[in-house]
Every structure is written in structure tokens, then in C-alpha cells.
Amino acid sequence: MERIDDLQCKGYRIVQDTEAFCYGIDAVLLSAFAKESIKKGYRVLDLCSGNGIVPLLLAAKTEAEEICGLEIQEEAAELARRSIFLNQEEERMEMLTGDLCKITELRKKSGERLSHRYQIVTANPPYMQSDLQNPDSKKLIARHEILCRFQDVARAASFALESGGKFFLVHRPKRMAEIISILRENKLEPKRLRTVHSYVNGEAKLFLVEAVKDAGVELRILPPLVVYKNKGEYTEELNHIYGIGKEERKNRTT
């Protein structure tokens, strides 16, 4: 079933398929982590783009000149295109259907697109390797490394970025050592890292990392991001990220 959701930012909305393609908190946190580095006139590429949630949030929150998404599943890409049209962003946004493992071939087909020309690349890739797989094929592809591995994602990001460009990523902590190693193999040097915790005393559930192409070694560990103050109650930082005002917060807790 389809629905249209309010993104709580400048009136932007997104078309979602509730049975297959709905965004989660990881995409919201990724866009918030990346947006401060996106300056006016920048070109942005989002890999593993799904229904286009990260590009849409970045369009709402930044003055990027061009925002392109790349998604292998046509159904998800088509939802994103409809959202682009719904928000009247056709001039600076585009959603391409294609396999990031073949990004060099896609570049030839798309002319100037998907070449070494982006200042920013983002990705919310499939997290899971050998975990129990979801029998729904659409969700399976989105959540498990079936059609691409993280090595492929890092390779595509490095290819698309200009030297000095930044790659923003969200992933699972249990794979952190592997992720950092693969980033460095692809000339993407981790510069900032932030862990995400459900509660202040809980283990990290996600981590966000910013890597810079062709940069030297220096990694900053940022203060942790905590999602909940209490069960069902976001922290002030999460309310700010989601754009939830005081009145709506009050309504949610009554």
C-alpha cells in the first residue's frame, strides 16, 4: 500500500510503499550528519538510494546545486522520481536506476553523470551478510548484501568523488573494523565517527562516518548520539533532527 508522508521540513513529502520501501531512522541520521558539509553549489550523489529519502532530505535542508540518487530496484527508484515531481525538484534532482557495481559502465551511458565530479557522496547500504534473510525479495535486496558488498559501495564512492570530496556512511558497529579497512583500501580516509545509541547507557546500534578521498590520517571520535530519553520519548537532539516542535512533542506524549 502506498502513502505520502510529511518530512517535517519545508513542506517536503515522500511517496512510500508500506510493504517494501519505507525509510528508517538510519537514513534520517545520515542526512543530518552529511548536511553541514554540503555548501551552496555542491553536487551530491546518494548510493543505495532506495525510495530517495536521503536525497529528498538533503534537497530540503541544503543549497546543493545537483542531487542524484542511484538505486538498483526500479520500483524504489520510481517512487523516488514521483517524490521528486511531488516536491517540484526536477531541476536539481534526479534518480537513476542502475547497479553501483557497474558504475563505470553507467557513466558511459549517462554521459557527464556518474563521473569524478561529486563533492559529496552518501550511502545507507545493506548491512547484513549472514544474518537470517527476509523472504521478501525487495526488502532482502535492501537489507542484505545480495547484489552488492560494502567493497562495491566504497569503490563506487571513491570513483564518483573528486579528490578531497567527502563520503558519508551509516552502518552497523559489529562491522566497524571491516568498514574502516575497506574505506582506506579505496583511498577514503575516515575523518569523523559518531556512534548512535538507543539509550545513554546502551551499546551502539549504528555508527556514522565521514571519510575524505585522498586525505591524510586523522580520525575524530564525536560525542555519541542518543535516540531516546525514555521509552517512546526522543532526546532533544533527535527532536531537532526530525524537526519535531514543542507542541507536537507534547501531543506525542499525551
Side-chain angles (χ1 to χ4, degrees), residues 179-194:
I179 296 303
I180 290 175
S181 176
I182 292 171
L183 288 173
R184 300 186 79 182
E185 288 172 4
N186 286 276
K187 300 181 180 180
L188 298 168
E189 186 63 36
K191 287 294 186 180
R192 294 193 302 143
L193 188 147
R194 191 175 193 190

Side-chain angles (χ1 to χ4, degrees), residues 70-81:
L70 179 62
E71 169 57 37
I72 196 167
Q73 297 195 71
E74 177 57 35
E75 299 97 326
E78 185 56 30
L79 288 174
R81 294 186 191 104

Side-chain angles (χ1 to χ4, degrees), residues 168-214:
F168 292 90
L169 169 77
V170 60
H171 218 290
R172 293 280 179 87
K174 68 179 182 180
R175 296 185 63 187
M176 185 185 293
E178 172 200 2
I179 296 303
I180 290 175
S181 176
I182 292 171
L183 288 173
R184 300 186 79 182
E185 288 172 4
N186 286 276
K187 300 181 180 180
L188 298 168
E189 186 63 36
K191 287 294 186 180
R192 294 193 302 143
L193 188 147
R194 191 175 193 190
T195 54
V196 180
H197 305 250
S198 295
Y199 297 96
V200 67
N201 293 322
E203 292 185 2
K205 300 296 185 182
L206 297 168
F207 74 93
L208 299 154
V209 64
E210 170 197 311
V212 179
K213 185 175 178 180
D214 299 325

Side-chain angles (χ1 to χ4, degrees), residues 18 27 41 56 61 82 138 191 200 204 206 220 240:
T18 59
L56 285 167
K61 296 178 179 182
R82 289 166 57 194
K138 295 175 183 177
K191 287 294 186 180
V200 67
L206 297 168
R220 293 171 54 208
H240 177 73

Side-chain angles (χ1 to χ4, degrees), residues 97-119:
T97 305
D99 185 351
L100 62 79
C101 299
K102 302 176 181 178
I103 195 167
T104 55
E105 297 174 27
L106 292 173
R107 170 190 156 184
K108 294 175 184 177
K109 293 179 182 178
S110 60
E112 288 299 312
R113 298 174 299 180
L114 298 178
S115 60
H116 311 270
R117 61 194 299 266
Y118 294 96
Q119 287 84 33

Side-chain angles (χ1 to χ4, degrees), residues 203-252:
E203 292 185 2
K205 300 296 185 182
L206 297 168
F207 74 93
L208 299 154
V209 64
E210 170 197 311
V212 179
K213 185 175 178 180
D214 299 325
V217 178
E218 182 183 1
L219 175 62
R220 293 171 54 208
I221 307 298
L222 304 178
L225 192 162
V226 180
V227 176
Y228 296 107
K229 281 196 274 189
N230 301 296
K231 187 175 181 179
E233 184 182 1
Y234 283 151
T235 59
E236 290 300 315
E237 183 171 12
L238 258 290
N239 282 321
H240 177 73
I241 288 172
Y242 269 100
I244 300 172
K246 291 182 179 179
E247 188 61 33
E248 185 172 351
R249 266 176 264 167
K250 181 180 177 181
N251 292 337
R252 287 189 176 197

